[in-house]
Amino acid sequence: MRYDIEADWQLLNTCNYRCDYCFFPGEVLGEKTVRHGTPDEWADAFSATGLTFLLHLTGGEPSAYPDFVDLCAALTRHHFISLNSNLTQASLGDFARRIDPARVSVINAGLHPDERMRRRGLEIFNRNLALLHEAGFSVFASVVATPQVLANADEVARQVTVPGLVPVPKLLRGSYRGRTYPDAYDAAERAAFRAMSRRARSAYGEWRAARSEPPTVDPFADDDFLDGTPTFRGIVCAAGSRFVRIEPQGDVFRCGSDTALQGNILAGTFAPLPGPRPCDSGYCFYFCRKYADPKYTHRADVGPRADPPVSGRQSLVPPHLVKRVGTALQRMLGR
């Protein structure tokens, strides 16, 4: 899979789930989806840049996006995609039939056990997971590691019935039931988290070894962050040149913590930075780790790190999410 630039593209805020650890409040998750372009308009706009993209489609729930499969089909004519999904939508059956697995880097299937139980969604999750797996898509399951999940790790693992796929624990970040995570994890929870991470790395060992690079969102080493979120400020990073963040209307930013606009895809004004430069924001969690590593930048002009990343007391909610939630709430209140 050869591409020029990777993008974390939030298609929409809307989601059919209401997980109590989600960064977005229910008002935002329930807003009406706005389409800013047709599938062909989006595909043509990306191709007009002259670059080949790996587009990580996320949300909200991306498979709930109108014309989702048509959009994926249009994008994968010349680009690659990856997907973060709760696997609840009927569109995934059409996705499995129409989309070439060779054009899909990975599908991260979010388990969300509490919502599954409330909505009787476990059967459809496993059905869609098996469908995608058997169709040849590269998939793994993940679960946000709440204290409840960690206390019942074996039972949570049994909820995923597709052979060989076990839930990878994702670090709980931010405020959850009156406590701030990951600081609030106690010793037993940290030990359980590490055990789940080791189990996942073992289960997906051959799959990970066969990949040329990590998934866009890579929770397999989240146990590294149990003792603090690292800061990458000052470290040379390829974000902006080899990686960007895209908002629903097509606005492009260097990363999840940078608010300087790099243009708009649909308007044809996006231009990547000419090369890596020192991080001026400090924290994007997954993306920092990948794009501060010269091994994954595919460019000879990526310099060495100035210093290794160190743990620091960063804000646990990326600034672009704070801004997006505030903007969405303001729009709703103004109706």
Side-chain angles (χ1 to χ4, degrees):
M1 184 174 296
R2 296 185 63 85
Y3 59 91
D4 301 306
I5 188 167
E6 184 172 10
D8 184 55
W9 183 14
Q10 179 144 356
L11 283 177
L12 70 171
N13 295 330
T14 311
C15 185
N16 57 313
Y17 274 10
R18 296 294 183 272
C19 302
D20 54 1
Y21 43 73
C22 185
F23 290 130
F24 292 167
E27 294 87 349
V28 174
L29 294 170
E31 74 177 22
K32 184 177 180 180
T33 300
V34 177
R35 285 189 293 181
H36 298 276
T38 67
D40 284 338
E41 286 171 344
W42 277 114
D44 290 345
F46 281 110
S47 295
T49 66
L51 301 169
T52 300
F53 279 79
L54 168 56
L55 295 161
H56 178 63
L57 310 181
T58 187
E61 172 49 44
S63 64
Y65 187 81
D67 301 322
F68 171 71
V69 181
D70 288 341
L71 175 64
C72 292
L75 293 172
T76 55
R77 287 197 296 263
H78 301 293
H79 305 280
F80 300 94
I81 62 173
S82 62
L83 180 64
N84 185 66
S85 173
N86 62 28
L87 300 193
T88 56
Q89 301 295 309
S91 62
L92 290 162
D94 195 24
F95 179 94
R97 289 187 292 271
R98 291 179 54 193
I99 305 304
D100 181 359
R103 308 297 295 186
V104 181
S105 173
V106 69
I107 297 172
N108 175 2
L111 182 56
H112 309 298
D114 287 350
E115 284 294 282
R116 299 288 169 192
M117 299 305 293
R118 280 195 287 267
R119 298 169 183 266
R120 299 181 180 180
L122 194 56
E123 181 180 352
I124 191 170
F125 173 82
N126 281 300
R127 184 166 65 245
N128 281 329
L129 186 62
L131 176 68
L132 293 164
H133 186 54
E134 291 165 5
F137 291 92
S138 184
V139 297
F140 71 91
S142 67
V143 62
V144 176
T146 64
Q148 296 77 23
V149 164
L150 295 172
N152 299 282
D154 289 341
E155 174 57 31
V156 169
R158 283 192 289 270
Q159 292 182 10
V160 182
T161 60
V162 180
L165 300 184
V166 304
V168 184
K170 292 183 68 176
L171 202 67
L172 179 58
R173 296 183 285 142
S175 178
Y176 175 72
R177 298 187 180 180
R179 307 184 72 189
T180 302
Y181 289 84
D183 290 352
Y185 283 127
D186 63 26
E189 290 162 352
R190 291 169 191 266
F193 193 109
R194 291 187 173 98
M196 284 190 75
S197 291
R198 289 193 297 269
R199 180 177 182 178
R201 285 193 289 268
S202 175
Y204 294 96
E206 292 185 6
W207 176 81
R208 295 175 68 222
R211 295 183 59 83
S212 60
E213 61 178 288
T216 304
V217 172
D218 183 15
F220 284 92
D222 269 17
D223 48 338
D224 287 350
F225 299 109
L226 282 168
D227 296 320
T229 303
T231 176
F232 287 76
R233 185 176 294 276
I235 295 171
V236 174
C237 176
S241 60
R242 281 281 302 148
F243 170 85
V244 291
R245 172 176 62 83
I246 305 176
E247 295 212 334
Q249 75 278 29
D251 284 349
V252 184
F253 300 86
R254 184 184 183 196
C255 65
S257 295
D258 198 311
T259 56
L261 187 65
Q262 278 188 236
N264 182 283
I265 290 291
L266 281 175
T269 55
F270 164 66
L273 298 178
R277 59 179 59 181
C279 173
D280 58 4
S281 58
Y283 163 68
C284 300
F285 205 68
Y286 294 114
F287 311 130
C288 283
R289 199 172 206 191
K290 182 174 180 179
Y291 284 100
D293 186 342
K295 181 167 54 176
Y296 299 117
T297 61
H298 299 185
R299 297 187 58 140
D301 56 350
V302 179
R305 295 177 176 180
D307 293 293
V310 296
S311 295
R313 296 292 177 182
Q314 302 275 334
S315 169
L316 293 169
V317 181
H320 78 282
L321 289 184
V322 176
K323 178 183 176 183
R324 186 179 296 132
V325 170
T327 300
L329 286 174
Q330 189 176 50
R331 185 169 65 248
M332 293 182 71
L333 291 171
R335 290 172 182 166

